[in-house]
Amino acid sequence: MMDHYELVTMPLLLALDAGGTSTRATLTDRTGRCISYARGGSGNPTSSGTEHASAQLVVAAAAAVRAAGVAPSEVTSVLMAMAGMSVNPSTDWITKPMQQSGFEAPIRLESDLLATFFSGTWEGEGYGVVAGTGSAGIRVRSGDVERSADGLGWLLGDVGSGFWIGHQVARAVAAALDGRAGPTALTALLLEDLGVAATGERVLDGRLETLRLVTDALYRLRPVELSRLAPLAFTAADDPTAVSILAEAAEALAGLFNAIASPTVTGPLVLGGSILAQEGLVAESVSAAASASGLVTRTRHVPDGMVGAIVLSLRAAGVEVGGDVYQRIVTTLAELR
Amino acid sequence: MMDHYELVTMPLLLALDAGGTSTRATLTDRTGRCISYARGGSGNPTSSGTEHASAQLVVAAAAAVRAAGVAPSEVTSVLMAMAGMSVNPSTDWITKPMQQSGFEAPIRLESDLLATFFSGTWEGEGYGVVAGTGSAGIRVRSGDVERSADGLGWLLGDVGSGFWIGHQVARAVAAALDGRAGPTALTALLLEDLGVAATGERVLDGRLETLRLVTDALYRLRPVELSRLAPLAFTAADDPTAVSILAEAAEALAGLFNAIASPTVTGPLVLGGSILAQEGLVAESVSAAASASGLVTRTRHVPDGMVGAIVLSLRAAGVEVGGDVYQRIVTTLAELR
């Protein structure tokens, strides 16, 4: 906690990084020094609904100012990085609950992909590729998104994402139990994950009872929850079915990089998301595509978009963010979390 | 309409074929002579819910007895062929509404796949493969399902089905508009189908505005409704993307036949569903797998499961259905519809 007199005389910037699992909030000053840090639940309005998301964003924001010992009204600007914000241009769903909680500063929404990008670099040009539950890529020029690809959701895109891999795992196990494909080591892993006991060769209505139990359990999930099965493919590293699923994911994510690559943009490649955090074929394939393009100066993996949301909030406040400011954000944030 | 005295002195069998789009009902006597025929809406409790399905089954049943000039109470047995009936062992959802409408006879539920099989043959052994909105196959021995494969629904199976093909069409167009794949003739067909006007090269948030319009329109559908896009793949017969989608569907459905094939079962192969009704690669691939197996005596396509539901209702009433009875069902039903 800082001295109160010092705090109220200088602008206080609040940056939030809203994710599908959790939301992060950091209060900083204009030099990039992080003052306090807090978390909330899912702040993604697309996957969790605007009511739940706004409540969690307020939770995280309020906890961050409380931890700094200041009042919400003393915050001078609020920036929130989140997915799908351009789809929903109205911001009433979040501005009203924030005002009701005492935050008086204007609220600016930014792309979560841009926040991920700036979590790995202060440079204004380069590439970002994220593969978590979903997948998407952006090309950044002059500090802004010039081109984006995929991020089209579980039904129409998100190639190589956690959902995509988990979905293929579920379908491969179903095909194996159904006798349409050979056995796979993924079956035992999936049964364990679902808490389903195999019923051996017991047949019901002309099919294995185990298959019925597995499909019943999987249909009880929301489709997007199949992403929790993605780690099974990495665990079954020697299984030919798992290898083939990951090889297809790797090819798709390399294709995603190639779709955003432009000969006139060189810079870092920032990778985000749980799938690209795993060592192996998938992450290597994206790095290989980046190397082959000759456009990427260095590759870096970031855990989330918090640093980048702070970078974006400083830039929105007119601060030029160079290497020094960026390093101050990274260092002082690391001390808080 | 028959003479009333004749009708009430003989058993009246009511058979229903409940599909996801419409339900068919036929009243017959024990010789297989069809007396009246009527239709209702979707009678599939899995896709439409038990409330809607039971209402439509009652509509079709009531219309069939009304058309014959008899009362519901005069029907001596009711057989309903429908999907997923083994998943939901309780039959209260349908027995109560039928009783409230005056039907006093016991109700028997049977597999829609078995009804499809017996729509094409009176023989008690052979194979049935259906690819409509979903896909599934059965091996029939001694008049009953010995082995079934797929029919696992849009998320986990239904390979090569209308949903599967339509989903691939939607993903392929999204990838093309997203720059992750080359152009395809499917794009123009999909835009026309959705009533979306192409916005040329106009870009919004780093991507084609047309892509946003297409994905918005597609996410407004229930996932299973993507099956309505399957015909586009058949229309774009010369397009490499469409050809590759249909080739994968063909391979999957041939694999479905191979999964149910057994060296100890020879007999007819009965094909059902809109996808296998289309001439070309997909239907040919299943026929080729059947030929290669040496187990199939003849292949026949049927439009629905109505004839087979009647066969099953006669058999449940203790009637042995041979070629003569089968032919009488086919001929007298054709006169009614």
Side-chain angles (χ1 to χ4, degrees), chain B residues 19-34:
Chain B
T21 310
S22 63
T23 292
R24 293 151 287 278
T26 305
L27 196 68
T28 71
D29 64 19
R30 281 176 62 92
T31 71
R33 192 170 40 122
C34 299

mmCIF file with all atom_site columns, all heavy atoms in Angstrom, chain B residues 19-34:
data_model
loop_
_atom_site.group_PDB
_atom_site.id
_atom_site.type_symbol
_atom_site.label_atom_id
_atom_site.label_alt_id
_atom_site.label_comp_id
_atom_site.label_asym_id
_atom_site.label_entity_id
_atom_site.label_seq_id
_atom_site.pdbx_PDB_ins_code
_atom_site.Cartn_x
_atom_site.Cartn_y
_atom_site.Cartn_z
_atom_site.occupancy
_atom_site.B_iso_or_equiv
_atom_site.pdbx_formal_charge
_atom_site.auth_seq_id
_atom_site.auth_comp_id
_atom_site.auth_asym_id
_atom_site.auth_atom_id
_atom_site.pdbx_PDB_model_num
ATOM 1   N N   . GLY B 1 19 ? -40.310 -39.604 -37.341 1.00 0.00 ? 19 GLY B N   1
ATOM 2   C CA  . GLY B 1 19 ? -39.046 -39.041 -37.803 1.00 0.00 ? 19 GLY B CA  1
ATOM 3   C C   . GLY B 1 19 ? -38.822 -37.651 -37.237 1.00 0.00 ? 19 GLY B C   1
ATOM 4   O O   . GLY B 1 19 ? -39.708 -37.074 -36.598 1.00 0.00 ? 19 GLY B O   1
ATOM 5   N N   . GLY B 1 20 ? -37.642 -37.112 -37.482 1.00 0.00 ? 20 GLY B N   1
ATOM 6   C CA  . GLY B 1 20 ? -37.306 -35.791 -36.968 1.00 0.00 ? 20 GLY B CA  1
ATOM 7   C C   . GLY B 1 20 ? -38.023 -34.667 -37.702 1.00 0.00 ? 20 GLY B C   1
ATOM 8   O O   . GLY B 1 20 ? -38.205 -33.579 -37.162 1.00 0.00 ? 20 GLY B O   1
ATOM 9   N N   . THR B 1 21 ? -38.461 -34.905 -38.933 1.00 0.00 ? 21 THR B N   1
ATOM 10  C CA  . THR B 1 21 ? -39.168 -33.892 -39.713 1.00 0.00 ? 21 THR B CA  1
ATOM 11  C C   . THR B 1 21 ? -40.667 -34.141 -39.689 1.00 0.00 ? 21 THR B C   1
ATOM 12  O O   . THR B 1 21 ? -41.460 -33.231 -39.496 1.00 0.00 ? 21 THR B O   1
ATOM 13  C CB  . THR B 1 21 ? -38.673 -33.886 -41.173 1.00 0.00 ? 21 THR B CB  1
ATOM 14  O OG1 . THR B 1 21 ? -37.255 -33.819 -41.168 1.00 0.00 ? 21 THR B OG1 1
ATOM 15  C CG2 . THR B 1 21 ? -39.241 -32.704 -41.940 1.00 0.00 ? 21 THR B CG2 1
ATOM 16  N N   . SER B 1 22 ? -41.067 -35.394 -39.903 1.00 0.00 ? 22 SER B N   1
ATOM 17  C CA  . SER B 1 22 ? -42.493 -35.710 -39.909 1.00 0.00 ? 22 SER B CA  1
ATOM 18  C C   . SER B 1 22 ? -42.718 -37.119 -39.375 1.00 0.00 ? 22 SER B C   1
ATOM 19  O O   . SER B 1 22 ? -41.792 -37.915 -39.255 1.00 0.00 ? 22 SER B O   1
ATOM 20  C CB  . SER B 1 22 ? -43.064 -35.583 -41.325 1.00 0.00 ? 22 SER B CB  1
ATOM 21  O OG  . SER B 1 22 ? -42.444 -36.528 -42.181 1.00 0.00 ? 22 SER B OG  1
ATOM 22  N N   . THR B 1 23 ? -43.964 -37.374 -39.037 1.00 0.00 ? 23 THR B N   1
ATOM 23  C CA  . THR B 1 23 ? -44.376 -38.673 -38.502 1.00 0.00 ? 23 THR B CA  1
ATOM 24  C C   . THR B 1 23 ? -45.439 -39.244 -39.423 1.00 0.00 ? 23 THR B C   1
ATOM 25  O O   . THR B 1 23 ? -46.297 -38.511 -39.915 1.00 0.00 ? 23 THR B O   1
ATOM 26  C CB  . THR B 1 23 ? -44.961 -38.478 -37.088 1.00 0.00 ? 23 THR B CB  1
ATOM 27  O OG1 . THR B 1 23 ? -43.908 -38.073 -36.226 1.00 0.00 ? 23 THR B OG1 1
ATOM 28  C CG2 . THR B 1 23 ? -45.587 -39.760 -36.564 1.00 0.00 ? 23 THR B CG2 1
ATOM 29  N N   . ARG B 1 24 ? -45.362 -40.542 -39.693 1.00 0.00 ? 24 ARG B N   1
ATOM 30  C CA  . ARG B 1 24 ? -46.316 -41.229 -40.550 1.00 0.00 ? 24 ARG B CA  1
ATOM 31  C C   . ARG B 1 24 ? -47.072 -42.272 -39.735 1.00 0.00 ? 24 ARG B C   1
ATOM 32  O O   . ARG B 1 24 ? -46.468 -42.893 -38.842 1.00 0.00 ? 24 ARG B O   1
ATOM 33  C CB  . ARG B 1 24 ? -45.602 -41.901 -41.724 1.00 0.00 ? 24 ARG B CB  1
ATOM 34  C CG  . ARG B 1 24 ? -44.972 -40.923 -42.715 1.00 0.00 ? 24 ARG B CG  1
ATOM 35  C CD  . ARG B 1 24 ? -43.764 -41.483 -43.419 1.00 0.00 ? 24 ARG B CD  1
ATOM 36  N NE  . ARG B 1 24 ? -42.617 -41.551 -42.541 1.00 0.00 ? 24 ARG B NE  1
ATOM 37  C CZ  . ARG B 1 24 ? -41.811 -40.511 -42.262 1.00 0.00 ? 24 ARG B CZ  1
ATOM 38  N NH1 . ARG B 1 24 ? -42.025 -39.348 -42.825 1.00 0.00 ? 24 ARG B NH1 1
ATOM 39  N NH2 . ARG B 1 24 ? -40.807 -40.650 -41.416 1.00 0.00 ? 24 ARG B NH2 1
ATOM 40  N N   . ALA B 1 25 ? -48.357 -42.443 -39.993 1.00 0.00 ? 25 ALA B N   1
ATOM 41  C CA  . ALA B 1 25 ? -49.160 -43.436 -39.278 1.00 0.00 ? 25 ALA B CA  1
ATOM 42  C C   . ALA B 1 25 ? -50.008 -44.210 -40.278 1.00 0.00 ? 25 ALA B C   1
ATOM 43  O O   . ALA B 1 25 ? -50.588 -43.616 -41.191 1.00 0.00 ? 25 ALA B O   1
ATOM 44  C CB  . ALA B 1 25 ? -50.056 -42.751 -38.252 1.00 0.00 ? 25 ALA B CB  1
ATOM 45  N N   . THR B 1 26 ? -50.059 -45.533 -40.126 1.00 0.00 ? 26 THR B N   1
ATOM 46  C CA  . THR B 1 26 ? -50.866 -46.372 -41.016 1.00 0.00 ? 26 THR B CA  1
ATOM 47  C C   . THR B 1 26 ? -51.655 -47.372 -40.180 1.00 0.00 ? 26 THR B C   1
ATOM 48  O O   . THR B 1 26 ? -51.109 -47.982 -39.252 1.00 0.00 ? 26 THR B O   1
ATOM 49  C CB  . THR B 1 26 ? -49.972 -47.148 -42.007 1.00 0.00 ? 26 THR B CB  1
ATOM 50  O OG1 . THR B 1 26 ? -49.142 -46.225 -42.726 1.00 0.00 ? 26 THR B OG1 1
ATOM 51  C CG2 . THR B 1 26 ? -50.817 -47.936 -43.001 1.00 0.00 ? 26 THR B CG2 1
ATOM 52  N N   . LEU B 1 27 ? -52.933 -47.507 -40.530 1.00 0.00 ? 27 LEU B N   1
ATOM 53  C CA  . LEU B 1 27 ? -53.786 -48.513 -39.900 1.00 0.00 ? 27 LEU B CA  1
ATOM 54  C C   . LEU B 1 27 ? -53.857 -49.707 -40.855 1.00 0.00 ? 27 LEU B C   1
ATOM 55  O O   . LEU B 1 27 ? -54.098 -49.528 -42.058 1.00 0.00 ? 27 LEU B O   1
ATOM 56  C CB  . LEU B 1 27 ? -55.181 -47.916 -39.678 1.00 0.00 ? 27 LEU B CB  1
ATOM 57  C CG  . LEU B 1 27 ? -56.117 -48.646 -38.715 1.00 0.00 ? 27 LEU B CG  1
ATOM 58  C CD1 . LEU B 1 27 ? -55.597 -48.549 -37.277 1.00 0.00 ? 27 LEU B CD1 1
ATOM 59  C CD2 . LEU B 1 27 ? -57.526 -48.065 -38.811 1.00 0.00 ? 27 LEU B CD2 1
ATOM 60  N N   . THR B 1 28 ? -53.624 -50.914 -40.347 1.00 0.00 ? 28 THR B N   1
ATOM 61  C CA  . THR B 1 28 ? -53.661 -52.113 -41.207 1.00 0.00 ? 28 THR B CA  1
ATOM 62  C C   . THR B 1 28 ? -54.489 -53.212 -40.538 1.00 0.00 ? 28 THR B C   1
ATOM 63  O O   . THR B 1 28 ? -54.792 -53.131 -39.341 1.00 0.00 ? 28 THR B O   1
ATOM 64  C CB  . THR B 1 28 ? -52.251 -52.698 -41.444 1.00 0.00 ? 28 THR B CB  1
ATOM 65  O OG1 . THR B 1 28 ? -51.785 -53.305 -40.234 1.00 0.00 ? 28 THR B OG1 1
ATOM 66  C CG2 . THR B 1 28 ? -51.261 -51.635 -41.890 1.00 0.00 ? 28 THR B CG2 1
ATOM 67  N N   . ASP B 1 29 ? -54.805 -54.231 -41.335 1.00 0.00 ? 29 ASP B N   1
ATOM 68  C CA  . ASP B 1 29 ? -55.353 -55.442 -40.721 1.00 0.00 ? 29 ASP B CA  1
ATOM 69  C C   . ASP B 1 29 ? -54.227 -56.465 -40.591 1.00 0.00 ? 29 ASP B C   1
ATOM 70  O O   . ASP B 1 29 ? -53.077 -56.169 -40.923 1.00 0.00 ? 29 ASP B O   1
ATOM 71  C CB  . ASP B 1 29 ? -56.547 -55.975 -41.537 1.00 0.00 ? 29 ASP B CB  1
ATOM 72  C CG  . ASP B 1 29 ? -56.140 -56.413 -42.938 1.00 0.00 ? 29 ASP B CG  1
ATOM 73  O OD1 . ASP B 1 29 ? -54.934 -56.660 -43.186 1.00 0.00 ? 29 ASP B OD1 1
ATOM 74  O OD2 . ASP B 1 29 ? -57.030 -56.505 -43.806 1.00 0.00 ? 29 ASP B OD2 1
ATOM 75  N N   . ARG B 1 30 ? -54.564 -57.664 -40.137 1.00 0.00 ? 30 ARG B N   1
ATOM 76  C CA  . ARG B 1 30 ? -53.522 -58.666 -39.889 1.00 0.00 ? 30 ARG B CA  1
ATOM 77  C C   . ARG B 1 30 ? -52.961 -59.285 -41.177 1.00 0.00 ? 30 ARG B C   1
ATOM 78  O O   . ARG B 1 30 ? -51.986 -60.036 -41.135 1.00 0.00 ? 30 ARG B O   1
ATOM 79  C CB  . ARG B 1 30 ? -54.080 -59.791 -39.009 1.00 0.00 ? 30 ARG B CB  1
ATOM 80  C CG  . ARG B 1 30 ? -54.135 -59.430 -37.535 1.00 0.00 ? 30 ARG B CG  1
ATOM 81  C CD  . ARG B 1 30 ? -54.795 -60.566 -36.758 1.00 0.00 ? 30 ARG B CD  1
ATOM 82  N NE  . ARG B 1 30 ? -54.043 -61.812 -36.841 1.00 0.00 ? 30 ARG B NE  1
ATOM 83  C CZ  . ARG B 1 30 ? -53.106 -62.182 -35.963 1.00 0.00 ? 30 ARG B CZ  1
ATOM 84  N NH1 . ARG B 1 30 ? -52.811 -61.399 -34.948 1.00 0.00 ? 30 ARG B NH1 1
ATOM 85  N NH2 . ARG B 1 30 ? -52.472 -63.326 -36.101 1.00 0.00 ? 30 ARG B NH2 1
ATOM 86  N N   . THR B 1 31 ? -53.582 -58.994 -42.309 1.00 0.00 ? 31 THR B N   1
ATOM 87  C CA  . THR B 1 31 ? -53.061 -59.538 -43.571 1.00 0.00 ? 31 THR B CA  1
ATOM 88  C C   . THR B 1 31 ? -52.026 -58.609 -44.189 1.00 0.00 ? 31 THR B C   1
ATOM 89  O O   . THR B 1 31 ? -51.440 -58.913 -45.221 1.00 0.00 ? 31 THR B O   1
ATOM 90  C CB  . THR B 1 31 ? -54.192 -59.747 -44.592 1.00 0.00 ? 31 THR B CB  1
ATOM 91  O OG1 . THR B 1 31 ? -54.645 -58.453 -45.055 1.00 0.00 ? 31 THR B OG1 1
ATOM 92  C CG2 . THR B 1 31 ? -55.363 -60.511 -43.990 1.00 0.00 ? 31 THR B CG2 1
ATOM 93  N N   . GLY B 1 32 ? -51.842 -57.441 -43.586 1.00 0.00 ? 32 GLY B N   1
ATOM 94  C CA  . GLY B 1 32 ? -50.903 -56.473 -44.135 1.00 0.00 ? 32 GLY B CA  1
ATOM 95  C C   . GLY B 1 32 ? -51.578 -55.478 -45.070 1.00 0.00 ? 32 GLY B C   1
ATOM 96  O O   . GLY B 1 32 ? -50.901 -54.641 -45.685 1.00 0.00 ? 32 GLY B O   1
ATOM 97  N N   . ARG B 1 33 ? -52.900 -55.548 -45.154 1.00 0.00 ? 33 ARG B N   1
ATOM 98  C CA  . ARG B 1 33 ? -53.611 -54.593 -45.998 1.00 0.00 ? 33 ARG B CA  1
ATOM 99  C C   . ARG B 1 33 ? -53.671 -53.246 -45.280 1.00 0.00 ? 33 ARG B C   1
ATOM 100 O O   . ARG B 1 33 ? -54.109 -53.188 -44.122 1.00 0.00 ? 33 ARG B O   1
ATOM 101 C CB  . ARG B 1 33 ? -55.031 -55.106 -46.282 1.00 0.00 ? 33 ARG B CB  1
ATOM 102 C CG  . ARG B 1 33 ? -55.755 -54.353 -47.381 1.00 0.00 ? 33 ARG B CG  1
ATOM 103 C CD  . ARG B 1 33 ? -57.040 -55.085 -47.768 1.00 0.00 ? 33 ARG B CD  1
ATOM 104 N NE  . ARG B 1 33 ? -57.699 -55.601 -46.573 1.00 0.00 ? 33 ARG B NE  1
ATOM 105 C CZ  . ARG B 1 33 ? -58.944 -55.295 -46.219 1.00 0.00 ? 33 ARG B CZ  1
ATOM 106 N NH1 . ARG B 1 33 ? -59.672 -54.496 -46.966 1.00 0.00 ? 33 ARG B NH1 1
ATOM 107 N NH2 . ARG B 1 33 ? -59.475 -55.828 -45.127 1.00 0.00 ? 33 ARG B NH2 1
ATOM 108 N N   . CYS B 1 34 ? -53.250 -52.173 -45.950 1.00 0.00 ? 34 CYS B N   1
ATOM 109 C CA  . CYS B 1 34 ? -53.267 -50.836 -45.349 1.00 0.00 ? 34 CYS B CA  1
ATOM 110 C C   . CYS B 1 34 ? -54.640 -50.215 -45.555 1.00 0.00 ? 34 CYS B C   1
ATOM 111 O O   . CYS B 1 34 ? -55.133 -50.142 -46.685 1.00 0.00 ? 34 CYS B O   1
ATOM 112 C CB  . CYS B 1 34 ? -52.182 -49.962 -45.956 1.00 0.00 ? 34 CYS B CB  1
ATOM 113 S SG  . CYS B 1 34 ? -50.530 -50.627 -45.669 1.00 0.00 ? 34 CYS B SG  1
#
